[in-house]
Amino acid sequence: MIGIISAMNEEIRLLVAHLDVDEKQTIANREYHQGKLFGKDVVLAFSRWGKVAATQTATTVINLFDIDILIFTGVAGAADPSLSIGDIIISTELVQHDVDVSAVVSMKKFEIPLLGVSHFKADAALIESAKRSAEEYVRSELHNTVASEYLRQYHISVPQVICGIISSGDLFIADAGKISDLRREIPGLMAIEMEGAAVAQVCYEHKIPFVVIRALSDKADHSAVTDFPIFVEHIAAHYTFGIIKGMLESSSVVSQ
Ligand code: ADE
């Protein structure tokens, strides 16, 4: 069974619409949709936003649905200046950028207390599968699935697919200064969002292979507030659908 969670309801809605059977359960304020998607057994859930919401959803999916792997999707703000809106980031490692207990105990900034880890590694095979599928989506489906007016609005032509570090924290960042601080503190940081590293910690503790896939909706600066909602509504769901479809259709992602 494959767990697929998104912080964006638009993405889950599109995937749910393509389930062969849709067995829906409501648990603690969230809907879990179980069925076959492109030939694979999946459970789909909309987590809502933030680390607590994502933790609660990931824990439920792991404990109640017996999943083998977890894929988390959504949008993110760009942290690296070489990136543009519309690029796709596949997580190699995830960091919780709002965790810092270094003032009271001798731990490094971002280290999770009692776990001794600051960077949670995503699964190598899932990274490779996500990368291949994202590249194929960009090459052959992007321009058929996203309306050209939105591609033009964000100057999206051939998005980059980059594997790199993603960090998460419970704040929407719209401040270029905050992003340069994070880039200095987390070398190699590519994107920031509000859920991935919490899901990564849950998967690490449950020993579940996972990957986080994010489309860049904004540059986490002053224009993020206007860029974000339009990107989510008109672009993000198509990216996720295309990438997940490619991953599920490839035989390598997981057994049926
Ligand atoms: N997700 C998408 N853009 C974001 C931002 N700027 N800050 C936090 N999470 C985000």
Side-chain angles (χ1 to χ4, degrees):
M1 173 84 76
I2 303 171
I4 301 171
I5 304 177
S6 178
M8 296 292 133
N9 204 19
E10 293 80 354
E11 300 185 343
I12 290 300
R13 256 195 266 123
L14 196 53
L15 292 169
V16 166
H18 286 78
L19 275 177
D20 276 351
V21 194
D22 178 4
E23 277 177 32
K24 187 172 88 174
Q25 288 185 59
T26 303
I27 304 164
N29 260 345
R30 284 167 184 64
E31 290 176 351
Y32 294 84
H33 300 265
Q34 201 177 334
K36 274 220 188 273
L37 187 63
F38 306 116
K40 299 283 194 317
D41 289 320
V42 300
V43 54
L44 305 172
F46 162 45
S47 65
R48 307 180 180 187
W49 294 7
K51 288 168 61 187
V52 175
T55 300
Q56 113 108 310
T57 314
T59 305
T60 300
V61 160
I62 291 170
N63 284 336
L64 299 188
F65 293 90
D66 196 22
I67 60 166
D68 305 292
I69 61 173
L70 181 56
I71 302 170
F72 195 95
T73 69
V75 296
D80 188 284
S82 68
L83 299 171
S84 304
I85 293 178
D87 288 348
I88 298 165
I89 309 299
I90 316 282
S91 65
T92 51
E93 296 177 289
L94 294 110
V95 177
Q96 294 177 37
H97 61 228
D98 55 359
V99 171
D100 183 4
V101 296
S102 59
V104 280
V105 275
S106 64
M107 281 183 200
K108 291 192 297 271
K109 197 168 181 181
F110 310 127
E111 185 176 331
I112 305 300
L114 307 184
L115 213 55
V117 179
S118 59
H119 290 53
F120 294 95
K121 281 189 195 318
D123 180 74
L126 287 175
I127 295 171
E128 188 50 39
S129 169
K131 179 169 181 285
R132 236 181 296 120
S133 180
E135 285 170 348
E136 184 55 30
Y137 172 73
V138 166
R139 197 166 32 242
S140 55
E141 286 180 52
L142 171 70
H143 290 266
N144 301 327
T145 54
V146 178
S148 50
E149 63 182 290
Y150 297 113
L151 295 174
R152 263 198 311 276
Q153 179 174 345
Y154 289 101
H155 310 287
I156 298 170
S157 158
V158 184
Q160 304 181 82
V161 177
I162 304 286
C163 299
I165 299 175
I166 298 175
S167 74
S168 317
D170 276 328
L171 68 163
F172 187 91
I173 301 179
D175 174 354
K178 172 79 182 157
I179 288 298
S180 32
D181 291 347
L182 285 175
R183 275 170 42 74
R184 206 178 40 252
E185 293 175 322
I186 306 173
L189 181 64
M190 287 292 160
I192 52 91
E193 34 84 322
M194 298 177 63
E195 298 85 16
V199 171
Q201 180 176 344
V202 172
C203 289
Y204 174 87
E205 300 203 48
H206 285 266
K207 299 187 171 47
I208 298 289
F210 72 92
V211 70
V212 176
I213 305 166
R214 295 284 188 173
L216 297 183
S217 56
D218 58 81
K219 295 193 170 180
D221 56 10
H222 63 282
S223 48
V225 184
T226 41
D227 288 337
F228 173 84
I230 300 168
F231 188 93
V232 166
E233 189 178 345
H234 297 286
I235 303 181
H238 301 292
Y239 270 57
T240 297
F241 184 81
I243 297 168
I244 294 286
K245 178 170 180 281
M247 289 179 79
L248 296 182
E249 284 177 343
S250 91
S251 55
S252 64
V253 71
V254 85
S255 58
Q256 305 209 356

